Amino acid sequence: PGTTPPLGIFAGCEYISAAQGRLVFSPFYPGADQITNGIVKARVLDDPALQFYVQTGWSAGTPAAAAQTVIGSNAQYANGTGSTLTGRSGSYIDLNTTPTTTSTLPFRILDLVRDPPGANGTDVTTAYNWLKVMWNNEFYRQLTGI
């Protein structure tokens, strides 16, 4: 997190596994498993028009739901603990410090996720709900203001 425009979203990598002795695709970078001096290819989603869903969270304080009023605002993310089982990131939109109008923040909030009804993250009245976002300040898309 910060004001440096990110290049994109990490979407996995491939490398020659020292343990398995073959090419492996992994949704996360395991670090020590690649062969010595081996090449690791990262897949990065860098389309400046990319839209995606992200969970909300709180880096401090009491968690609350993201409300309709956040739509159109810019947001910062925070890093949580990812899962080596699923490869899912632990990053989330930090509602403790944003949303706001700061132009250097990486994400623009487009909408609250409401579908499918009853699914995890689609209840807009509970904490840790999901948002639909796109880049606001990314390496290939550097905007100003909201």
Side-chain angles (χ1 to χ4, degrees):
T3 57
T4 301
L7 178 60
I9 301 292
F10 178 80
C13 62
E14 58 185 48
Y15 60 94
I16 302 294
S17 168
Q20 300 177 42
R22 64 178 179 86
L23 181 66
V24 172
F25 173 78
S26 177
F28 65 95
Y29 178 60
D33 186 36
Q34 82 270 6
I35 61 170
T36 304
N37 299 323
I39 295 172
V40 178
K41 293 181 183 178
R43 295 182 181 173
V44 178
L45 304 175
D46 63 357
D47 181 347
L50 181 69
Q51 297 179 6
F52 47 97
Y53 296 138
V54 63
Q55 187 174 15
T56 60
W58 288 75
S59 57
T62 304
Q68 186 80 20
T69 55
V70 303
I71 296 173
S73 298
N74 298 329
Q76 182 60 276
Y77 68 96
N79 288 317
T81 303
S83 169
T84 58
L85 179 64
T86 65
R88 188 173 278 198
S89 169
S91 297
Y92 57 91
I93 294 293
D94 186 3
L95 294 179
N96 189 58
T97 59
T98 58
T100 185
T101 58
T102 305
S103 64
T104 55
L105 294 175
F107 299 111
R108 170 79 45 92
I109 300 171
L110 300 175
D111 203 357
L112 304 175
V113 177
R114 299 175 181 91
D115 292 318
N120 287 341
T122 62
D123 180 355
V124 298
T125 64
T126 60
Y128 308 107
N129 57 325
W130 289 68
L131 301 172
K132 181 177 182 181
V133 301
M134 71 177 299
W135 292 115
N136 176 63
N137 189 31
E138 186 252 357
F139 184 78
Y140 298 109
R141 179 189 179 93
Q142 296 181 30
L143 301 177
T144 58
I146 58 170

